[in-house]
Amino acid sequence: MKKEIRDCMTSELLFQAMKGSIDEKAAFLSEYERRLKMMRLTYEQIAKFREADERAITKGCYIKLDTLLGKEPLIKAGMNVNSIQVQNCTFSELVYLTDEANAVYVRDHHWLPAETWGLVCKHALSVGICQAAWENRNRMKEIGLTEEQENIFVRNECQITKRLRWHYSEDMAW
């Protein structure tokens, strides 16, 4: 499956540039940098943001070459509380994990096995643990992002999942 740039979450663009076709590398990197500039990041913040994403990608993030991150479930039955390690997640994955855990907590709690429910509770904002959201916020603070810059990123990444995964909107992000 060829990924359309407009359907990729931001960190997924860097992943595609690092792991995908050499022919498309420049286009994915250009869009990645354009989005970071839209957040009004400084050159230093952009470098640190990219470094953090590259570190997660190298550690073994959960993005796949042939599947759009924002379209497929990240949390699946049979997973347990340790199935997703936040230190291996990119910024986009942390946002998506929080978004999906929130949705699963509200909608799917009645059918999930207990071991998977623990994973949901670890990352849903409604429960109070919200590990993925805290990891995202702490990483962004470490590289000097303001709350406004963080909000721009989260809002746009959630807009992608709203359109692709949840089908709540046809509005484009970024």
Side-chain angles (χ1 to χ4, degrees):
M1 167 191 169
K2 182 178 188 274
K3 291 184 179 180
E4 295 293 329
I5 287 176
R6 67 187 178 96
D7 293 335
C8 288
M9 295 183 78
T10 302
S11 302
E12 188 174 12
L13 295 165
L14 182 60
F15 177 89
Q16 290 299 127
M18 290 173 66
K19 307 278 186 181
S21 164
I22 196 76
D23 298 334
E24 298 175 321
K25 180 178 183 167
F28 283 112
L29 278 178
S30 175
E31 178 64 12
Y32 181 79
E33 290 178 6
R34 184 187 75 79
R35 291 182 187 183
L36 298 185
K37 288 175 183 172
M38 284 184 68
M39 294 166 55
R40 296 187 288 280
L41 300 185
T42 66
Y43 289 113
E44 182 180 343
Q45 288 172 319
I46 289 172
K48 288 179 179 180
F49 195 101
R50 181 173 172 172
E51 182 181 305
D53 263 350
E54 285 178 348
R55 192 170 34 253
I57 291 167
T58 302
K59 281 184 178 179
C61 69
Y62 304 95
I63 301 170
K64 295 180 175 60
L65 271 174
D66 58 349
T67 307
L68 286 167
L69 174 62
K71 193 169 188 167
E72 298 295 320
L74 197 54
I75 299 171
K76 299 174 183 104
M79 291 181 141
N80 64 47
V81 72
N82 296 314
S83 292
I84 298 175
Q85 301 298 315
V86 294
Q87 66 271 17
N88 294 348
C89 291
T90 62
F91 285 112
S92 294
E93 288 173 308
L94 291 169
V95 171
Y96 186 43
L97 179 55
T98 302
D99 186 49
E100 186 172 23
N102 290 337
V104 170
Y105 181 82
V106 171
R107 288 190 342 226
D108 301 328
H109 60 275
H110 56 281
W111 68 266
L112 279 179
E115 67 271 6
T116 307
W117 183 246
L119 178 64
V120 170
C121 291
K122 185 175 181 179
H123 298 292
L125 296 173
S126 305
V127 182
I129 298 172
C130 14
Q131 186 181 20
W134 279 112
E135 178 71 17
N136 190 54
R137 169 152 281 186
N138 289 336
R139 275 192 212 168
M140 288 190 169
K141 280 186 176 183
E142 281 177 18
I143 60 176
L145 270 67
T146 66
E147 190 172 324
E148 180 184 355
Q149 290 168 320
E150 179 184 353
N151 290 340
I152 292 168
F153 182 77
V154 171
R155 182 177 56 248
N156 279 286
E157 296 299 280
C158 286
Q159 183 60 40
I160 293 170
T161 62
K162 238 198 290 195
R163 181 173 55 82
L164 294 178
R165 176 79 197 280
W166 310 120
H167 307 289
Y168 292 155
S169 170
E170 287 302 315
D171 294 341
M172 300 302 290
W174 298 105

